[in-house]
């Protein structure tokens, strides 16, 4: 795994061992950031279920002004911190080592919305069905915020059409998909 573009380009990233995280492949990451390229500069980026932090680090490398990483796995948090140090992006980052809902409640109390929110929860556990409604009722989003949800390809996402936001796009890959929701 590596940073694809921007100021940390070609820097290698460390990943947690085992199967508890699924690092996004370079090809999928490149496709995702080609879609997001116009929205990345100076964006506040929230990376939920961060794993190794590869998505948020890519956003910072490409020009996001800040990224908050939320991850509760001890080894994954250590990887995020190592990756931020190795890419020299620590100063623009905050790592919250805790449960996603706990972190969202803390962030909501600050009242500072994000421009882009990426979430890659464990597949088939329906975390997105809990997190998205919270986000839409919180101060973490504003008009125009883009929420990107990564799910398994076989996950039914049709219920997302009923959220109080626009289902802008669904991008299918070989084994997973990205769902783009615009507030």
């Amino acid at each position: 795994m590596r940073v694809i573009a921007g100021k940390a380009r070609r820097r290698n990233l460390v990943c947690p061992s085992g199967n508890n995280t699924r690092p996004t492949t370079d090809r999928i990451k490149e496709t995702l950031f080609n879609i997001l390229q116009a929205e990345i500069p100076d964006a506040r980026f929230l990376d939920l279920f961060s794993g190794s932090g590869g998505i948020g680090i890519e956003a910072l490398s490409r020009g996001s002004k800040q990224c908050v990483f939320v991850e509760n796995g001890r080894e994954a948090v250590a990887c995020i911190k190592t990756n931020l140090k190795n890419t020299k992006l620590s100063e623009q980052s905050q790592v919250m080592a805790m449960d996603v809902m706990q972190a969202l409640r803390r962030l909501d109390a600050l009242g500072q919305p994000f421009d882009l929110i990426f979430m890659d929860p464990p597949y088939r556990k329906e975390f997105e069905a809990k997190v998205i409604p919270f986000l839409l009722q919180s101060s973490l989003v504003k008009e125009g915020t883009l929420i990107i949800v990564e799910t398994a390809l076989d996950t039914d996402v049709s219920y997302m059409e009923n959220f109080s936001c626009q289902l802008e796009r669904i991008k299918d890959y070989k084994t997973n998909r990205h769902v783009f929701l615009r507030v």
Side-chain angles (χ1 to χ4, degrees):
M1 237 180 76
R2 63 188 172 88
V3 180
I4 297 171
K7 59 187 169 189
R9 184 178 181 201
R10 294 191 184 118
R11 301 262 172 120
N12 289 325
L13 302 174
V14 296
C15 299
S17 59
N19 296 326
N20 289 336
T21 60
R22 301 171 318 278
T24 302
T25 65
D26 286 351
R27 179 175 285 165
I28 291 175
K29 194 177 351 177
E30 188 167 6
T31 300
L32 173 64
F33 281 92
N34 284 343
I35 293 168
L36 297 178
Q37 67 185 0
E39 306 200 41
I40 293 292
D42 295 320
R44 288 193 74 233
F45 197 97
L46 177 59
D47 188 352
L48 301 174
F49 306 95
S50 300
S52 64
I55 297 295
I57 289 170
E58 189 74 35
L60 288 170
S61 180
R62 291 174 183 241
S64 285
K65 67 180 173 188
Q66 180 189 24
C67 183
V68 176
F69 298 85
V70 179
E71 174 58 57
N72 68 353
R74 203 172 276 172
E75 185 183 1
V77 168
C79 287
I80 294 168
K81 290 178 179 180
T82 297
N83 289 332
L84 287 168
K85 182 180 177 190
N86 291 343
T87 57
K88 299 176 175 53
L89 296 169
S90 297
E91 288 185 20
Q92 299 167 256
S93 305
Q94 178 184 357
V95 180
M96 299 180 78
M98 62 184 66
D99 172 77
V100 164
M101 293 308 295
Q102 180 184 6
L104 290 177
R105 285 189 287 277
R106 284 191 185 179
L107 290 167
D108 186 30
L110 300 175
Q112 298 174 334
F114 290 89
D115 302 295
L116 294 162
I117 300 173
F118 180 83
M119 59 183 290
D120 183 6
Y123 289 172
R124 300 175 190 91
K125 304 262 188 209
E126 300 182 6
F127 284 110
E128 58 274 12
K130 183 178 177 183
V131 172
I132 296 169
F134 180 90
L135 287 172
L136 294 175
Q137 297 299 315
S138 76
S139 67
L140 301 173
V141 299
K142 61 184 178 185
E143 186 176 335
T145 296
L146 184 62
I147 302 169
I148 305 103
V149 185
E150 185 168 314
T151 69
L153 193 58
D154 61 357
T155 299
D156 178 17
V157 295
S158 62
Y159 70 93
M160 292 184 188
E161 294 177 10
N162 298 323
F163 288 144
S164 59
C165 59
Q166 179 184 355
L167 177 57
E168 198 167 84
R169 178 180 190 161
I170 297 175
K171 174 67 177 152
D172 289 342
Y173 306 99
K174 193 179 247 183
T175 60
N176 62 346
R177 73 167 43 108
H178 286 139
V179 180
F180 297 80
L181 302 165
R182 180 78 65 181
V183 177

